[in-house]
Amino acid sequence: LRPVKEALLLDSEARRIFQGIGKETFKEGVVFRQLDLANTLSKLRVGGAPSFYSGEFAKMLTENVNLIGGSLSLADLRTYQPRWVDTVSMNIGTSFWKRDKAHFVPPPAAAGIVQAQIIGMLDRQQKRFSRTPNSMLYHRLAETALIAYASRSHWMRGDYSSIYPIKELVSDAFFDSLNSNYSDRKHKLISSFHPSPTPQPENPSATSFVAIDRYGMAVSCAFTMNKSFGIGRVAPHTGIMIAATPEAIGRGSLSLGPMMIVNEFSDQFILAASASGGVAAATAVSSVVGHAYLNAKSLREAIVAPRIHHGGVPDVTYYESSLDPRVVSYLVDKDHKVAETLGIGLVNIAFCRGGLPRAPESCSVQNDPRGFGLAINALADED
């Protein structure tokens, strides 16, 4: 709210909702009410999806969106169809057969491939990773992130598509090639990568959630309005804020990377995770999944553990202020140029180590303590 306050309050509807920021009365964690949005959600609950895409509400919505300078027609609503695409999938796990399968979102949401490659590299190093001393573990997490982001500069075109077949990017052979850049001895300078990593205009404005039911049906979702508060204008009488248009093909989704792990042989749900945080979202998810799934830590331990991030450019390893100073010194000794930051990503995750629906008692859900999200586990409750 703070950096966009002046622009946001220029819109009369937004001002009516967020007027508290003019007096600095809104702070993170404070509850406020949006009655128009509540009415919109009530209409959806009573009338279902058809009431949104056609009928009187759809007419009111399109009129009010156009009234504030947006572009939306009844035909846009009537003809809209979701686009179904295949996931990027790979085998993963500690067993010889690697019977679990991890699913990631494909480009243009490039964070999916970045996560897949970080986790894939760690998985290929699993025997070493699970026994790695804490200091070395953070070196390993930083270096695998650097290598994955350097790889992104190699495979990603200007329109965020891949120059290689997607399946090739998550193959064991590709992971072995990426791991050949890793060394326990010292940090690899970005100048040694060919081509050198290039900066990308990342979109930090996003949010995420995961949800599972007792039968193992699950959703992992990340979404964005492409800028903070979209265009900063609210369609009157709806409570709906209008999203901004992505600046280039796929730009808005570049940093989004919901993922899921399932066991296809036993038909069990294992894990769902998603995050926000711009360029650091992928490393945040990879860190939590690495600690919990590969390193067998409890989900609570995994999500509260200090995080580390190297996005390729600049050649700086960012670490959270809660990281042990001895680990920071160790990284410096390994030639990392380090910088402290308050937080790296916000992760939401559900993990059923024993599988769901087979072992609901093994399930844990966690929201990130770095934010004000909510996590509720009601799987053991009876109807």
Side-chain angles (χ1 to χ4, degrees):
L1 282 166
R2 189 176 296 112
V4 301
K5 176 177 67 174
E6 292 183 8
L8 188 62
L9 295 183
L10 291 176
D11 178 66
S12 60
E13 288 293 307
R15 185 166 61 248
R16 188 163 58 85
I17 296 170
F18 299 107
Q19 58 188 345
I21 62 175
K23 301 175 182 177
E24 299 296 335
T25 55
F26 279 167
K27 300 181 185 297
E28 192 171 13
V30 171
V31 175
F32 65 101
R33 290 167 175 78
Q34 299 186 69
L35 298 181
D36 286 342
L37 184 59
N39 289 334
T40 294
L41 295 175
S42 294
K43 289 183 173 68
L44 280 169
R45 183 173 62 250
V46 173
S51 68
F52 185 88
Y53 291 99
S54 61
E56 289 302 313
F57 179 80
K59 183 179 179 182
M60 180 188 72
L61 176 63
T62 55
E63 288 176 351
N64 286 320
V65 167
N66 289 291
L67 180 67
I68 61 171
S71 178
L72 186 68
S73 69
L74 286 171
D76 292 331
L77 289 175
R78 282 196 302 266
T79 59
Y80 174 77
Q81 293 289 330
R83 184 168 63 96
W84 294 89
V85 297
D86 291 333
T87 61
V88 178
S89 62
M90 65 186 194
N91 293 331
I92 188 174
T94 57
S95 69
F96 177 79
W97 296 106
K98 291 191 175 183
R99 292 178 179 266
D100 289 344
K101 180 159 284 190
H103 295 267
F104 303 87
V105 66
I113 296 295
V114 173
Q115 284 171 196
Q117 291 187 342
I118 295 173
I119 294 171
M121 281 187 279
L122 295 174
D123 188 40
R124 295 287 284 178
Q125 304 169 8
Q126 201 279 331
K127 287 184 179 179
R128 288 187 293 165
F129 180 72
S130 62
R131 301 169 188 167
T132 301
N134 198 47
S135 296
M136 177 64 77
L137 183 145
Y138 278 94
H139 169 72
R140 192 182 298 273
L141 288 170
E143 290 297 282
T144 51
L146 163 61
I147 293 166
Y149 280 100
S151 171
R152 185 181 74 169
S153 294
H154 183 58
W155 62 259
M156 190 171 69
R157 294 190 178 102
D159 64 355
Y160 309 115
S161 64
S162 174
I163 64 174
Y164 299 110
I166 295 297
K167 195 65 179 174
E168 184 177 326
L169 295 175
V170 294
S171 65
D172 284 346
F174 207 93
F175 294 147
D176 288 340
S177 173
L178 294 176
N179 271 329
S180 69
N181 291 290
Y182 173 78
S183 169
D184 279 339
R185 294 190 300 275
K186 65 177 183 177
H187 166 65
K188 186 178 178 71
L189 299 175
I190 63 171
S191 58
S192 62
F193 287 93
H194 301 287
S196 296
T198 54
Q200 292 290 334
E202 303 280 350
N203 168 35
S205 303
T207 192
S208 74
F209 65 86
V210 298
I212 56 174
D213 68 15
R214 68 178 71 236
Y215 306 108
M217 299 296 289
V219 172
S220 180
C221 183
F223 55 94
T224 178
M225 295 179 69
N226 300 315
K227 289 183 179 178
S228 294
F229 297 90
I231 65 171
R233 309 196 73 179
V234 179
H237 312 300
T238 68
I240 296 175
M241 185 161 277
I242 309 304
T245 302
E247 299 175 15
I249 300 171
R251 160 78 182 276
S253 62
L254 180 65
S255 301
L256 304 184
M259 65 163 293
M260 194 175 294
I261 300 176
V262 298
N263 189 300
E264 295 183 341
F265 289 90
S266 60
D267 197 26
Q268 298 291 304
F269 164 85
I270 305 296
L271 181 149
S274 195
S276 57
V279 66
T283 49
V285 168
S286 301
S287 174
V288 177
V289 172
H291 284 307
Y293 180 84
L294 296 178
N295 213 7
K297 288 186 177 181
S298 73
L299 196 56
R300 180 65 183 173
E301 289 177 307
I303 205 162
V304 301
R307 293 177 195 152
I308 199 163
H309 167 75
H310 197 308
V313 180
D315 195 357
V316 176
T317 299
Y318 295 92
Y319 66 93
E320 291 185 332
S321 54
S322 56
L323 186 62
D324 188 329
R326 291 171 295 182
V327 177
V328 178
S329 297
Y330 179 89
L331 293 171
V332 172
D333 290 341
K334 293 288 185 182
D335 294 337
H336 290 263
K337 182 179 179 180
V338 300
E340 181 180 317
T341 185
L342 289 176
I344 295 174
L346 292 173
V347 178
N348 294 298
I349 185 168
F351 184 25
C352 298
R353 198 178 298 275
L356 191 69
R358 179 175 56 199
E361 70 281 357
S362 72
C363 294
S364 178
V365 294
Q366 289 286 334
N367 65 292
D368 206 311
R370 294 158 182 81
F372 282 89
L374 176 68
I376 299 175
N377 185 354
L379 286 170
D381 293 349
E382 295 297 331
D383 290 334

